[in-house]
Amino acid sequence: MLKTLLNNRAPLLEQGTEVITPTRYRGIFEEALMALNGGVATPEMEQIMLDAVLEHDGTQRVVLSNAGFLGAPGRVVGHGKLYPQIASRAAALANLFPDADCEFFLAIRNPATLLTEVRPLVAGGNYDALMQGTDPRALRWNDAIRRLLGALRGRRVVIWCHEDVPLIWPEVVRLAADMAPDLPLAGALIYMHELLGDAGLPKLRAALAGRDQLTIAARRGIYAEMLERHALAGALDQVVDLPGWDQALVDEVSARYRADIAEIAALPGVEFVTA
């Protein structure tokens, strides 16, 4: 997300949107969160933080992206839940800027693949330390998102599935940046490049050439065809290698995830980006 947005830094600044990299606010937000302990920042404190991270005058929208905003990556499980800190962390972040309209954009993904990705982040890749005795079947996104919505009290929440990102990436980026539909998006193919490689990307560019007025549905159709025919070997596969997991458990967790997607997409207060 940051890489794509930074490729569009100049036009975004022209419309008043500034993209902030984590190095610019590292330590600042953490100190403020600790000092406030869930409380609301004063106008003076809010202005001090903005002065510290903003580089440009006239900024109207600030985009921040950090994998640890809603909980440390290695602590996605706790108290028998998925992302146990998601509600308190989101509310605390919003309280840093009480005078702003805080919006939250996040991807959800199959807990089976999520656990596979975050397990190495726990000391020694210790699966038991990661799970803390939690039954994998209890890790429901539906519960996590309901807790998030309850904490944010009507603030905008945009959600999509990580598995759909190859097809919906331009729309997700435009939503996060509040980019006008007619504003060219640089780096829109970054994600597809990772999946197609140097050999497949020119084929995608050729399929898109001369078709500037493509509908979203038509573009996604081309993307899907290119992925089916030219994706790098293994690029679309995710191996679930977790202690005690067999195919039956993977299938059960995946089925619950699909059920959660349907429920989350229908929740009041959620803008769900579908493929």
Side-chain angles (χ1 to χ4, degrees), residues 100-123:
D101 293 325
C102 290
E103 304 176 349
F104 288 78
F105 293 72
L106 67 152
I108 62 176
R109 70 181 298 177
N110 190 325
T113 62
L114 175 62
L115 294 175
T116 299
E117 292 289 337
V118 301
R119 180 188 173 194
L121 303 178
V122 180

Side-chain angles (χ1 to χ4, degrees), residues 61-162:
R61 183 180 183 86
V62 181
V63 182
L64 307 159
S65 180
N66 190 304
F69 271 159
L70 300 183
R75 297 181 180 177
V76 302
V77 179
H79 307 292
K81 300 175 181 178
L82 191 63
Y83 280 96
Q85 296 179 308
I86 192 170
S88 60
R89 290 281 298 182
L93 286 168
N95 283 342
L96 291 180
F97 304 101
D99 292 331
D101 293 325
C102 290
E103 304 176 349
F104 288 78
F105 293 72
L106 67 152
I108 62 176
R109 70 181 298 177
N110 190 325
T113 62
L114 175 62
L115 294 175
T116 299
E117 292 289 337
V118 301
R119 180 188 173 194
L121 303 178
V122 180
N126 190 317
Y127 176 76
D128 292 334
L130 170 65
M131 296 299 291
Q132 301 181 45
T134 302
D135 184 337
R137 300 168 185 83
L139 301 180
R140 304 298 297 266
W141 275 110
N142 186 22
D143 166 67
I145 299 304
R146 286 180 182 275
R147 285 185 276 117
L148 175 68
L149 294 173
L152 292 181
R153 300 178 182 178
R155 292 182 175 90
R156 187 185 187 195
V157 177
V158 180
I159 299 174
W160 61 94
C161 291
H162 173 77

